[in-house]
Amino acid sequence: MKKKIRFYQSINTKIVFIIVMLLVFALQIIGANFITQIERRLVTSFQEDRQAQIDFLESTVQPYLEEYENNEESEIDPREEINDLLSEFSGSGITDLQVIDQNMVVLGNSDSTQQDTLGQLSDDTDVRDVHLSGNTLAIQVEDSSSGARKWKIVEPVYSSSGEEFLGIILMESNIESVYTQISDITVIFLQSSAVAIVLSLILANMVSRALTKPIKEMQTQTRAIAEGDYSGTLKVYGEDELGQLAFLINELSDEVAEAQESIDSERRRLDSVLTHMTDGVIATDRRGKIVIVNNMAETMLDVTNEEVIGKNLLKVLDVEEDLTLRKLLEEQEDILINGTSVEAPTVLRASFSLIQRETGFISGIVCVLHDVTEQEKIEAERKQFVSNVSHELRTPLTSMRSYIEALADGAWQDPDLAPRFLEVTQNETDRMIRMIQDLLHLSRIDAGKSELEVELVDLTELLDHVLNRFDMLIHSSDYAGKNYHIERHLLNTPVFVELDTDRMMQVLDNIMNNALKYSPDGGTITGRMRQTDQSVIISITDQGMGIPKNDLVKIFSRFYRVDRARSRAMGGSGLGLAISKEVVEQHGGRIWADSKEGEGTTFYLSLPYIPFEEDEWS
Ligand code: ADP
């Protein structure tokens, strides 16, 4: 996150650079203007000085030239006068000063080393030009040997009347000093500029540092905020824009800290809700890739967080073949899937909903998994039950109908058939009534409306009583020709148990009835009793057809019969053991069976029993 700012990118450098550049530009413009002006003024004043000098010289020399030209008699040679004048004038920067007559002959020369030119014709081209033109010539020339710049004035001299050309004055003066002066000034200017630039560099640096210091502090602070550290506070240096900005950053930091805190607590709350939910929750991004999965969903699908994060939701739910993401987005219908729990197969209902922004943009899907195994089981049982009841009722009704039809068709007049047919319909009706009674009994137990009327009963006596009844029954005419025998191995002592006598008799009757019913060839039926620390166990064993191993548990379910046809033929409804089980469980006991096909069956019935201590009776 932290990005190093290069030297040239720094605002500090930029400010210093701009200030110094501005100064340099200003100095350049001022300097250029100033130096040109000075140069012009100095040169002009130099030229004017020289012109004044030559004008003065002209007026001084003029009488001597006039005298010379007119060959006037005098005591002193005018040429000497002129030479004296010239030597007086020379110096102070004048390098060459000559007076030339109207015939171009040099009359006087200020340079004592060039006295040999006197009387000679002047070879100066400028002099010749002025001689021809009669006008003053003022030009800058360069010394061929030294290269120094010189100001050369060639001035024609006229007689006082102004009509007669008398000669020429040539003056060369050193203008170089003026230029030297200018370059001196330039050097001074440049030096002061350099000092100014250095000073401004230091000053600009100080100013920009003062400006950028708070900015740097803000930078550090905002970086800290971005990294989640809200502890720092910026110093507010003043009321200016930077001060206000610092103040606002401080406020922003406080607000971000608060917002972050509330987001964190919100997230924690959400996490804890998700963790402790009894439903599984899976959230995905907009492409259906899983981003959140809670503990319950992990358990339900038998996966780990790492395994599924980033995976496709439909793949994880194993519904890729039946469902597409598009369909899910369009319809969001609940689906049933198989859970992969380790213990037992489960059925899960997956409900989907979209995570949608206000704009309608779908940013993900939430899938809630609910374990509906129990519900589905109950639903299946309910369906099975309804189908069973209808089936059980339809069979006797159909048979009754056919008998009644036969009777109506004339059989009622048949003295042999009519009573038999009526007996069948009566039996079927009885069976239906029994079945309905059984069903009503079960439904009362289911609804918790069947209350036991318990009393302290001697179980040994009760079992003995039941066995006695059946002993009488097998010796009655109904069972004539069948060889049944009842054996008993009961306890010698009374065993007092709290139970509802009628109901328990019903259970024992049912087991005994079955023992007879499913032992078509007769055989011994043995009633046993045993006592343990916490319970008393009754068992009734027959030597009948037995029950296949797979059916042993199922026979206690409603309407379940191993051999439907036989059971029905024997008047069974398939509800007897179901009711027995409910009743025994109401007593806090347990019922189960053990059997070997073809050899016989034993039904066990265990009831809770706490043996009384001897002393309690004494
Ligand atoms: P049912 O009215 O058909 O006898 P029950 O609930 O009493 O219904 O019994 C359920 C089924 O269990 C019977 O249909 C029969 O197939 C089986 N069964 C019960 N007792 C015995 C037994 N002593 N020997 C063999 N099969 C039995």
Side-chain angles (χ1 to χ4, degrees), residues 501-512:
T501 319
D502 287 349
R503 297 277 163 81
M504 201 45 75
M505 289 256 285
Q506 207 181 338
V507 172
L508 292 172
D509 277 356
N510 188 33
I511 296 173
M512 282 304 290

Side-chain angles (χ1 to χ4, degrees), residues 51 78 195 210 218 231 246 310 422 425 429 504 531 541 549 582 594:
Q51 192 60 49
V195 171
M218 284 180 221
S231 57
L422 283 171
T425 48
T429 318
M504 201 45 75
Q531 186 192 320
T541 310
K549 208 171 164 50
E582 296 290 347
D594 201 0

Side-chain angles (χ1 to χ4, degrees), residues 383-568:
K383 284 181 188 159
Q384 185 63 44
F385 181 77
V386 171
S387 130
N388 281 340
V389 172
S390 0
H391 187 78
E392 294 298 334
L393 287 176
R394 199 186 57 198
T395 321
L397 282 171
T398 333
S399 105
M400 273 165 67
R401 196 173 119 184
S402 50
Y403 281 105
I404 291 168
E405 267 172 11
L407 285 168
D409 284 348
W412 66 277
Q413 284 169 323
D414 186 323
D416 287 336
L417 282 179
R420 260 192 25 228
F421 282 12
L422 283 171
E423 197 192 331
V424 173
T425 48
Q426 201 174 2
N427 285 345
E428 293 291 359
T429 318
D430 285 349
R431 201 154 71 88
M432 281 197 294
I433 290 171
R434 265 203 314 280
M435 198 177 90
I436 303 278
Q437 271 168 352
D438 285 350
L439 278 174
L440 283 173
H441 187 184
L442 274 173
S443 124
R444 270 204 307 279
I445 295 175
D446 285 346
K449 283 181 189 156
S450 155
E451 302 241 321
L452 295 178
E453 284 175 18
V454 290
E455 50 193 338
L456 213 52
V457 180
D458 179 4
L459 201 60
T460 319
E461 200 190 308
L462 185 80
L463 182 59
D464 200 34
H465 173 73
V466 172
L467 292 177
N468 283 340
R469 271 198 11 231
F470 275 87
D471 224 354
M472 274 165 63
L473 188 72
I474 53 172
H475 292 111
S476 72
S477 56
D478 288 355
Y479 287 87
K482 292 222 171 141
N483 193 15
Y484 286 110
H485 177 66
I486 291 182
E487 235 177 63
R488 52 196 92 190
H489 297 280
L490 308 183
L491 294 172
N492 300 325
T493 49
V495 178
F496 282 96
V497 181
E498 274 199 328
L499 46 81
D500 184 324
T501 319
D502 287 349
R503 297 277 163 81
M504 201 45 75
M505 289 256 285
Q506 207 181 338
V507 172
L508 292 172
D509 277 356
N510 188 33
I511 296 173
M512 282 304 290
N513 261 322
N514 282 348
L516 292 177
K517 240 187 339 192
Y518 301 107
S519 310
D521 311 323
T524 306
I525 294 165
T526 317
R528 288 188 180 83
M529 244 182 114
R530 199 152 53 85
Q531 186 192 320
T532 70
D533 283 352
Q534 288 158 2
S535 57
V536 52
I537 302 167
I538 292 171
S539 70
I540 290 167
T541 310
D542 63 52
Q543 294 177 328
M545 56 178 47
I547 302 167
K549 208 171 164 50
N550 284 344
D551 297 300
L552 271 178
V553 193
K554 299 181 196 162
I555 52 170
F556 297 98
S557 308
R558 296 170 191 190
F559 295 111
Y560 191 85
R561 281 162 300 189
V562 178
D563 185 342
R564 255 170 203 277
R566 184 196 295 271
S567 162
R568 196 175 291 121

Side-chain angles (χ1 to χ4, degrees), residues 6 34 104 207 287-288 340 359 403 466:
R6 304 243 167 92
F34 176 72
M104 298 273 288
V207 168
R287 286 183 192 81
T340 22
T359 50
Y403 281 105
V466 172

Side-chain angles (χ1 to χ4, degrees), residues 25-252:
F25 280 137
L27 284 174
Q28 245 180 9
I29 292 165
I30 293 170
N33 210 15
F34 176 72
I35 288 168
T36 349
Q37 287 290 337
I38 290 240
E39 184 181 317
R40 193 180 301 145
R41 295 236 169 142
L42 284 178
V43 169
T44 316
S45 118
F46 179 87
Q47 288 168 351
E48 281 169 0
D49 277 0
R50 291 297 168 255
Q51 192 60 49
Q53 269 181 323
I54 207 161
D55 286 347
F56 179 68
L57 186 63
E58 187 193 349
S59 61
T60 324
V61 164
Q62 191 208 25
Y64 296 110
L65 269 179
E66 236 172 39
E67 196 178 322
Y68 173 74
E69 298 295 345
N70 297 336
N71 283 323
E72 282 174 16
E73 285 296 319
S74 81
E75 289 163 22
I76 309 156
D77 187 354
R79 281 182 295 184
E80 273 176 36
E81 292 286 345
I82 288 168
N83 268 308
D84 287 346
L85 247 169
L86 291 186
S87 45
E88 267 173 40
F89 254 87
S90 65
S92 67
I94 295 171
T95 51
D96 198 6
L97 194 58
Q98 289 181 25
V99 176
I100 295 146
D101 71 2
Q102 54 188 194
N103 302 316
M104 298 273 288
V105 176
V106 179
L107 290 182
N109 194 329
S110 65
D111 191 349
S112 53
T113 59
Q114 292 194 354
Q115 288 303 316
D116 52 333
T117 57
L118 295 178
Q120 301 286 325
L121 270 177
S122 173
D123 56 357
D124 195 305
T125 48
D126 296 325
V127 170
R128 199 170 302 138
D129 285 349
V130 171
H131 185 250
L132 284 175
S133 67
N135 294 326
T136 311
L137 180 83
I139 49 163
Q140 189 168 297
V141 293
E142 214 165 85
D143 192 299
S144 50
S145 54
S146 67
R149 280 164 284 186
K150 288 183 172 173
W151 186 244
K152 185 175 184 181
I153 305 177
V154 186
E155 175 95 1
V157 184
Y158 289 94
S159 64
S160 48
S161 61
E163 285 163 6
E164 194 184 347
F165 175 72
L166 296 175
I168 291 166
I169 302 174
L170 179 147
M171 180 193 266
E172 268 183 14
S173 51
N174 196 351
I175 199 171
E176 198 58 50
S177 63
V178 174
Y179 287 105
T180 319
Q181 218 176 334
I182 291 165
S183 48
D184 284 350
I185 290 171
T186 312
V187 168
I188 291 170
F189 181 81
L190 284 178
Q191 280 169 347
S192 357
S193 299
V195 171
I197 286 170
V198 169
L199 279 179
S200 77
L201 208 80
I202 295 167
L203 235 108
N205 204 22
M206 274 159 64
V207 168
S208 89
R209 260 174 212 284
L211 271 177
T212 50
K213 189 181 173 221
I215 296 179
K216 275 198 178 134
E217 286 177 6
M218 284 180 221
Q219 188 189 15
T220 320
Q221 177 66 2
T222 41
R223 185 175 295 139
I225 294 172
E227 283 164 5
D229 173 12
Y230 312 107
S231 57
T233 312
L234 273 177
K235 196 171 161 199
V236 178
Y237 287 98
E239 288 283 293
D240 59 1
E241 289 87 338
L242 284 177
Q244 283 181 8
L245 187 58
F247 178 75
L248 286 177
I249 288 177
N250 283 338
E251 271 195 351
L252 186 72

